[in-house]
Amino acid sequence: MGVGFAMVVMGLYYKNGTHNGPQPSEEPPYDGFEYDAFVSAHDEAREFVLQSILPPLESGPAPYRLCWHSRDFIPGVPIMEQIAYTMARSRKIIFVFSEHFPQSQFCCAELELAMSRYMRSCTRCILPVALEGGFVPEELKKRLTYLPVLSAREEVDVAAEIAKVMGEPIPVVMDRHDDSFVEE
């Protein structure tokens, strides 16, 4: 996929502290979350997600736990049920906006759920990445500030920029009783 520009939202829109409404909190609390982020993308952005987002964020000494539908959804469970459940169990939602993003009913449903959560919780839970030619909804553009991450002239590590916004991964400790992983 020819990606000329990618952008990631690094925070919410602030206008010298004068924007209306409550100030968003810096970070949703870790309690109760299974995933650091849910990744939403149209199939046309699959290669970008599989190369530029999942491997770099999920590897390393303190890996992030990401939910990616084609890998983490349980066969036989209704898709909308899984979307709602896994998004609710994710601290952040990473949207990869591509040209055909709005043509997917599931991508649109994920965006609607994320915007509803953002409006209810007033936390920095949405991390949009806009691929060249990607459709970013006007409602999102009105509320979020973007930082360029990749361009034809400048290669910047998209995953590193996302990690700056994500903060520390959800802590995981080894349970001494059954050797399985459990959240702290």
Side-chain angles (χ1 to χ4, degrees):
M1 167 184 285
V3 178
F5 290 97
M7 302 175 81
V8 69
V9 169
M10 301 303 290
L12 296 171
Y13 177 71
Y14 293 100
K15 198 171 194 173
N16 299 327
T18 61
H19 93 283
N20 294 330
Q23 292 288 336
S25 66
E26 286 292 319
E27 187 70 32
Y30 290 104
D31 296 341
F33 290 112
E34 180 178 345
Y35 298 103
D36 289 293
F38 176 94
V39 181
S40 174
H42 187 276
D43 285 340
E44 73 179 308
R46 178 183 178 83
E47 185 177 322
F48 176 79
V49 171
L50 292 174
Q51 291 179 2
S52 301
I53 294 179
L54 296 182
L57 290 175
E58 292 181 328
S59 62
Y64 291 99
R65 288 183 280 166
L66 305 178
C67 180
W68 174 240
H69 69 327
S70 63
R71 177 189 66 194
D72 298 315
F73 280 10
I74 301 166
V77 177
I79 294 171
M80 286 307 300
E81 184 179 321
Q82 291 190 79
I83 289 170
Y85 177 79
T86 55
M87 285 181 75
R89 304 280 299 155
S90 300
R91 271 190 319 133
K92 306 258 186 200
I93 301 106
I94 299 169
F95 283 99
V96 179
F97 290 108
S98 59
E99 182 180 354
H100 299 293
F101 185 93
Q103 295 171 2
S104 166
Q105 69 179 12
F106 297 118
C107 289
C108 291
E110 290 162 355
L111 182 60
E112 189 173 318
L113 283 171
M115 289 299 292
S116 175
R117 174 175 161 181
Y118 166 76
M119 298 301 285
R120 274 191 332 270
S121 67
C122 201
T123 59
R124 296 180 182 176
C125 61
I126 300 173
L127 302 173
V129 174
L131 302 180
E132 182 176 23
F135 172 82
V136 180
E138 287 302 316
E139 184 65 22
L140 207 60
K141 287 181 183 178
K142 290 178 189 176
R143 298 182 182 280
L144 302 172
T145 305
Y146 295 86
L147 175 70
V149 174
L150 214 124
S151 75
R153 292 181 301 267
E154 173 184 39
E155 280 278 332
V156 177
D157 186 353
V158 174
E161 294 300 320
I162 292 172
K164 286 179 189 176
V165 177
M166 293 273 291
E168 294 296 316
I170 296 172
V172 176
V173 295
M174 193 75 153
D175 186 327
R176 292 187 180 129
H177 301 291
D178 65 0
D179 293 335
S180 64
F181 288 98
V182 295
E183 293 180 35
E184 262 186 350

